[in-house]
Amino acid sequence: MTQSTISKSHMVVAQNASGRNMNVPIYRITGSKPGPTVYIQSSIHGAEVQGNVVIYQLIQYLKQLDVCGEIILVPNCNPVGTNIKAGEYTLGRFDPVNGTNWNRGYYYDEQKVHEFAETVSAQESLSSVKQRFRAFWRQAINEKLSSGWGLGLAQQLNLKLQLLAVDADIVLDLHNGPVSTRHVYLPEYAADAAKLLNIPHTILIPNQFAGALDEATFCPWWTLQSLISAQRQEAVSCNVEAMTLEMGSQEVIAFEEGKQDAQSILSYLSKRGIINDCPYEPLAMHRVGVYLKDYRTLYTQWGGMVEYVARPGDKISAGEPLARVLNIDELDNADATFTVTAPCDVIPILHFPSASVLSGTQLYKAFTRYFDITSE
Amino acid sequence: MTQSTISKSHMVVAQNASGRNMNVPIYRITGSKPGPTVYIQSSIHGAEVQGNVVIYQLIQYLKQLDVCGEIILVPNCNPVGTNIKAGEYTLGRFDPVNGTNWNRGYYYDEQKVHEFAETVSAQESLSSVKQRFRAFWRQAINEKLSSGWGLGLAQQLNLKLQLLAVDADIVLDLHNGPVSTRHVYLPEYAADAAKLLNIPHTILIPNQFAGALDEATFCPWWTLQSLISAQRQEAVSCNVEAMTLEMGSQEVIAFEEGKQDAQSILSYLSKRGIINDCPYEPLAMHRVGVYLKDYRTLYTQWGGMVEYVARPGDKISAGEPLARVLNIDELDNADATFTVTAPCDVIPILHFPSASVLSGTQLYKAFTRYFDITSE
Amino acid sequence: MTQSTISKSHMVVAQNASGRNMNVPIYRITGSKPGPTVYIQSSIHGAEVQGNVVIYQLIQYLKQLDVCGEIILVPNCNPVGTNIKAGEYTLGRFDPVNGTNWNRGYYYDEQKVHEFAETVSAQESLSSVKQRFRAFWRQAINEKLSSGWGLGLAQQLNLKLQLLAVDADIVLDLHNGPVSTRHVYLPEYAADAAKLLNIPHTILIPNQFAGALDEATFCPWWTLQSLISAQRQEAVSCNVEAMTLEMGSQEVIAFEEGKQDAQSILSYLSKRGIINDCPYEPLAMHRVGVYLKDYRTLYTQWGGMVEYVARPGDKISAGEPLARVLNIDELDNADATFTVTAPCDVIPILHFPSASVLSGTQLYKAFTRYFDITSE
Amino acid sequence: MTQSTISKSHMVVAQNASGRNMNVPIYRITGSKPGPTVYIQSSIHGAEVQGNVVIYQLIQYLKQLDVCGEIILVPNCNPVGTNIKAGEYTLGRFDPVNGTNWNRGYYYDEQKVHEFAETVSAQESLSSVKQRFRAFWRQAINEKLSSGWGLGLAQQLNLKLQLLAVDADIVLDLHNGPVSTRHVYLPEYAADAAKLLNIPHTILIPNQFAGALDEATFCPWWTLQSLISAQRQEAVSCNVEAMTLEMGSQEVIAFEEGKQDAQSILSYLSKRGIINDCPYEPLAMHRVGVYLKDYRTLYTQWGGMVEYVARPGDKISAGEPLARVLNIDELDNADATFTVTAPCDVIPILHFPSASVLSGTQLYKAFTRYFDITSE
């Protein structure tokens, strides 16, 4: 086996109020043989830190493995969000200046894909199409980035990261939920990848852009291959996959769990041809899927103190308790507590991380109308 | 002259983590004669407080005036955002839990308007159409509000307020900019209202919904009247106007300025038939307009400490200084400071309220390609 | 058995920026027989919410028990701190305007105790002394509260609560640590109370005031009884006990654990004569104590991402790992991680609740030079 | 005239959660002749940024002037506080993790001064005493900094800065108030320095330590010279002066005002022998002083929206209006507004920077019982 090589660089993504550059580390593992390009980042939401450990463990494994192609790893990809404390916790989900979610400013423009598709002739090889499309897309992102009046901080950060990912065949964006079980967002066309990851819960998402990196990756390719398939009247696949992996709960890292997470990703990468002789195979496990429209958020209509009775990952039948609420003004009577029950059969995937909730809080996000994935 | 009457009530819009209701005050001034309905709210963004004073001054004036119709006034309409402090300032622009802008969750669904328009016959009177449409729209908002899994806090708040506004012919949403001169957002079809307000700067916005209350009000009516006009092949107007008035800078109230602001609104309401024998007329003043697409944001590409040299409202020619920046790491050399200049002829309308800026900060928002409104 | 009675009232402790009163609920349980007065409050730190459940469970039990004297219970005693969100968590430890810890503004003035002690004659009975001292102290707090130029919010809140506690013979202030095992702060003179609570870890504190309610309660009594003891040349005890109970981790409530916590408090109250025929006895368990000077905080000298390896409550020997740190800039070499070890034999009691730490962070608080309490 | 030289270095004061060093710039201007040592820092409170401009302007002037001795300038001395945004403003007054004021962790230990004073013989020259005391004090700070279990972030930062200041004869700590007129805190023994600065308001503080840098500088020297004076039975002065200069309002920089501020400091330094042939002299102006005990804070007893009627620096007689308050729930009646009046003759120096206040807010800080300084 020939050894892969690892190199490290840093990219400036922002400047703080002291005028100092803020940069992200970029690790590149170059295999001894050609192969796909993989892009993996973590912590675009600053409090979601387990992905950094996953990348650490991946690097330890990959140093020993036979890699084909290139793997680009960007841990801690949001140096602003990582470092905003509000109390003891990390205010990492949005820009504290304006509330902008750090994960909604990636570039996509459906019109641009149509524009490009018109340049594709019936004879052009798919590899040529892909190569030209990457250059075209990189150009579009660069134009956006250099617009004369500038861009907001989150968008600048997102686009600089997206440029690192634009050549990738596989894009993995590592996140965490608040208090959460592991789950993954996959585009519907790549649903079979769910079986290659050791993650029990999969959300299948349609070809719709809401600003995140996975969507910003698969929406153009999905749209492009749909247009070409229509033109050529045969199913064409660009073989680009992008997904968001939610590696458990925010604000926590666990090195041992990170090893399991890394092995899960290695299993998947191995099946996609990036690793030769990989010692890790997808585990036999119960996997459950849901369509995005059936991944529901349960909001509160009340404020109070909550015990989260249902644990993420548990199957809860309609009518069974999800949460128990304390009403501090009624401790002397029967209204002191009440129970929130499941409106239908659900698997809670994550819940709010604080006992104290106002009305309109995302109490739980849950699978409804879920199905068995392994048996598909 | 017959006196108008004033009544007061409170509406619960949220519940806090202590389980206590949070409510908004609602003042209703009922004229002695019939006439249009007006809805005015202030402080949906918690730090934007001058509108509360404007409503106070309006009430003082209106008590003395001959009102036709009804005026509903809701000061301090966001009790959550008003009361979130982060340091000495009010974190009032977005929900501190999730970053949701408090002013983006109003209801609009273009498809619904089309659906309704199909129920309008060629013979139906406009007043009948308007009445049926209000009921239809109220129903749609109520359905949204009562959706089984609930809604986020900002959206719940927005929809409850929107229900108060749904019968109004005129909707005024009172805001402030960060450090800002007075300006107003008007739908293009109601551009002539600009001349009735004593506000020097007007932004004309197209029929596009971005979540705010003014848009949520005029988009359905604009769309509806366009559809009916097309059906009937004649220009039809529903005579509903909605606008966002930006009454100077946030974090500040000024009672005397509030009187001027109130007189400006009274002048406009008088011209729209809500006030008889109003002693206030629109002032002769220089008014400038811009199309929304030409109301530009200048973002920083750098971080540092800024002196805002150009004052909101001043005309600045291309190349003239907007801001001067200090670089604390280069105080001993020529890079210690640099100047940001206007990229074209502009009128800065507002600037960031802190000297300390990261890269990607909204330094200024400015009119470009502006035009004289009075001479139109 | 005669039934005790329960009554409820509310006390205004603050007014928010909307001008609305913010109040706390006060539950009073009056026994059928005379006896001591007990004051119990919870959640002076807004994110420390388990005490609210403990008070709920206490009320459920006390309704059924034979109480002697009066028990005053104030759950959620800080309506401001409870309702400040910063991200999903509660910014409950300090006033967000100025950083003032909500638990440092209670009243104590040693000079005042000396002043009072001079009024005590050799013949005065202890019960007369106690009665007069309570009146004297209440007067001093009231004078402080009504000072002409006013007081800061935290201090206003603290003093209003302290007035509720001034007649109490027993004061329990219910708190939580960040991620924490259960522990209790006791004044040294009341060390034997440690054996009456089902709490494994006790910190014994000297007669020094640092602003908290327990100190504000025991410092005056301790000082007074020392002065009288010296005067009379015999040991005199005022029999007032005050303590801070830390009921596990912040941001979490658990109803079942609250039952255990309530039973623990009932056992203690029973031994102090407040409950007749109490079904709960202090449990046989291993209890460990430490003097305050040996309850040490381990601060970081570095910033990074941390896995908290040592769990609160575990005995850790010198040199064993407490935490493992990830350095995201060195994932490709041996500096990628390092281990923080115990500087001596310790029992970690609590650790920081976020994996992301700057330099100078309170990583762990730990018992050192601890001793067995049961065997004393 | 011989030119002074300027050099620049950086000192690491913290490490962020990404593991990156955070450093402060240090500028040293070395005169061509010997003389006193001056230490000037700015922005220990992150939102108080005008001092950075003052240091910039000072450097521009000092480059041209004949300096005796050494001037150490540290702008932006708190890179953590400078970069914590909460909304558009800078949360710069306290550590967002725990509320610790960034300006309360400097070192002072009165006992240590007594300890040192015992080593001073009657014959030792004052210059020898000063030299030995500086070494002694540096050692004490270093011991504190290297304590085995570490220190909190604010204290680490403070002590590292204090080490830069320990050799200085003059220490200037540049701050800003919220909305504020210029004022200065001086130790009582250096009251005459007030006439050398172009600052209209001076607060004279006693020999008491509350944690700030000026106190941490003058308390040891004041105590030491008092002890030696007592020993030698003659007045001895160590000629060390330390002060906090409040350069107007926070969140704002102004280059032209910074020139005035710099000239004011140059006038003072010139009189203290640091600058030869200085072109700037203290201006003839009205100067007013107050003892610290008479510099009072007016707290609110209510919450509401406030117009600050009295401007900082204005003389306000007892009973005249300071502020006018809006009560949004009473806009229809006479309780809609009320006026806060001056409780005695005052000069307001600063007021709260937001119209929205809770009860217990520091509405104004004001001079009472003030006196004319120039005429002393």
Side-chain angles (χ1 to χ4, degrees), chain B residues 195 285-287 371-376:
Chain B
K195 297 174 206 163
M285 65 185 297
H286 184 54
R287 290 179 178 81
F371 45 83
D372 195 332
I373 270 190
T374 345
S375 64
E376 274 191 314

Side-chain angles (χ1 to χ4, degrees), chain A residues 6-8 10 23-25 27 43 46-47 49 52-53 55-57 59-60 63 75-76 82-83 85-91 93-94 178 250-256 305-308 324-334 336-337 352-358, chain C residues 6-8 10 23-25 27 43 46-47 49 52-53 55-57 59-60 63 75-76 82-83 85-91 93-94 178 250-256 305-308 324-334 336-337 352-358:
Chain A
I6 182 161
S7 69
K8 179 169 65 181
H10 284 85
N23 57 43
V24 297
Y27 297 89
S43 290
V49 283
N52 299 327
V53 172
I55 286 181
Y56 162 69
Q57 300 290 21
I59 290 176
Q60 307 320 303
K63 277 174 168 179
N76 208 42
T82 298
N83 287 296
K85 283 285 178 186
E88 296 150 317
Y89 303 92
T90 301
L91 191 70
R93 208 164 189 82
F94 50 82
Q250 67 194 18
E251 294 285 11
V252 175
I253 64 172
F255 280 89
E256 271 312 308
M305 312 268 163
V306 180
E307 178 175 0
Y308 298 91
R324 191 168 172 204
V325 186
L326 182 72
N327 182 344
I328 54 99
D329 285 315
E330 309 295 343
L331 300 187
D332 56 341
N333 64 60
T337 74
F352 196 66
S354 166
S356 302
V357 306
L358 284 85
Chain C
I6 183 160
S7 69
K8 180 168 65 179
H10 283 86
N23 56 42
V24 297
Y27 297 89
S43 289
V49 284
N52 299 327
V53 172
I55 286 180
Y56 163 69
Q57 300 289 21
I59 289 175
Q60 307 320 304
K63 278 174 168 178
N76 208 40
T82 298
N83 286 297
K85 284 284 180 188
E88 295 150 318
Y89 302 92
T90 302
L91 192 68
R93 209 165 187 81
F94 49 83
Q250 67 194 18
E251 294 285 12
V252 174
I253 64 171
F255 281 89
E256 272 310 309
M305 312 268 164
V306 180
E307 178 175 1
Y308 299 91
R324 192 170 170 201
V325 186
L326 183 72
N327 182 342
I328 54 98
D329 285 315
E330 308 295 342
L331 300 187
D332 55 341
N333 63 59
T337 73
F352 196 67
S354 165
S356 301
V357 305
L358 284 85

Side-chain angles (χ1 to χ4, degrees), chain A residues 89-351:
Chain A
Y89 303 92
T90 301
L91 191 70
R93 208 164 189 82
F94 50 82
D95 186 333
V97 173
N98 48 37
T100 307
N101 190 315
W102 293 115
N103 191 34
R104 295 292 180 274
Y106 296 95
Y107 173 78
Y108 178 58
D109 182 344
E110 188 181 328
Q111 202 45 50
K112 277 275 188 185
V113 187
H114 287 265
E115 193 183 303
F116 176 85
E118 282 168 24
T119 72
V120 177
S121 71
Q123 293 75 34
E124 188 175 0
S125 74
L126 210 52
S127 78
S128 161
V129 169
K130 287 180 68 173
Q131 195 178 345
R132 284 202 307 115
F133 187 60
R134 293 192 198 280
F136 176 83
W137 210 247
R138 173 188 314 277
Q139 170 72 8
I141 298 170
N142 271 318
E143 273 167 20
K144 186 92 185 168
L145 252 176
S146 59
S147 66
W149 286 64
L151 295 173
L153 176 52
Q155 198 167 14
Q156 286 190 35
L157 169 65
N158 286 171
L159 296 185
K160 286 174 186 172
L161 293 170
Q162 195 174 355
L163 282 175
L164 294 177
V166 82
D167 283 340
D169 302 286
I170 290 175
V171 170
L172 309 184
D173 198 9
L174 308 187
H175 282 244
N176 293 90
V179 174
S180 176
T181 186
R182 276 161 173 75
H183 54 293
V184 58
Y185 289 87
L186 275 177
E188 290 174 6
Y189 72 78
D192 71 320
K195 298 175 206 163
L196 308 181
L197 289 156
N198 303 330
I199 294 183
H201 309 98
T202 297
I203 301 140
L204 295 174
I205 47 181
N207 190 4
Q208 277 169 18
F209 181 65
L213 177 61
D214 56 350
E215 298 155 349
T217 306
F218 68 65
C219 282
W221 290 108
W222 190 342
T223 303
L224 182 63
Q225 71 194 18
S226 301
L227 292 170
I228 298 177
S229 296
Q231 281 168 8
R232 301 191 178 178
Q233 307 206 336
E234 57 167 341
V236 155
S237 169
C238 292
N239 286 320
V240 174
E241 287 183 2
M243 61 190 84
T244 295
L245 287 83
E246 307 269 349
M247 318 305 273
S249 303
Q250 67 194 18
E251 294 285 11
V252 175
I253 64 172
F255 280 89
E256 271 312 308
E257 291 183 15
K259 272 192 189 167
Q260 309 302 317
D261 295 327
Q263 289 171 14
S264 160
I265 291 172
L266 291 173
S267 305
Y268 163 72
L269 293 181
S270 162
K271 294 293 181 191
R272 288 293 179 254
I274 291 102
I275 301 167
N276 278 337
D277 304 320
C278 181
Y280 304 106
E281 286 283 320
L283 299 178
M285 63 187 298
H286 185 55
R287 291 180 178 82
V288 167
V290 81
Y291 286 100
L292 184 62
K293 67 177 175 53
D294 296 324
Y295 184 39
R296 305 288 304 271
T297 302
L298 183 65
Y299 294 92
T300 60
Q301 303 287 345
W302 39 263
M305 312 268 163
V306 180
E307 178 175 0
Y308 298 91
V309 176
R311 288 181 315 171
D314 286 356
K315 294 196 176 179
I316 306 291
S317 300
E320 287 185 337
L322 288 173
R324 191 168 172 204
V325 186
L326 182 72
N327 182 344
I328 54 99
D329 285 315
E330 309 295 343
L331 300 187
D332 56 341
N333 64 60
D335 293 337
T337 74
F338 66 92
T339 299
V340 178
T341 58
C344 62
D345 290 359
V346 299
I347 303 175
I349 297 298
L350 56 86
H351 65 70

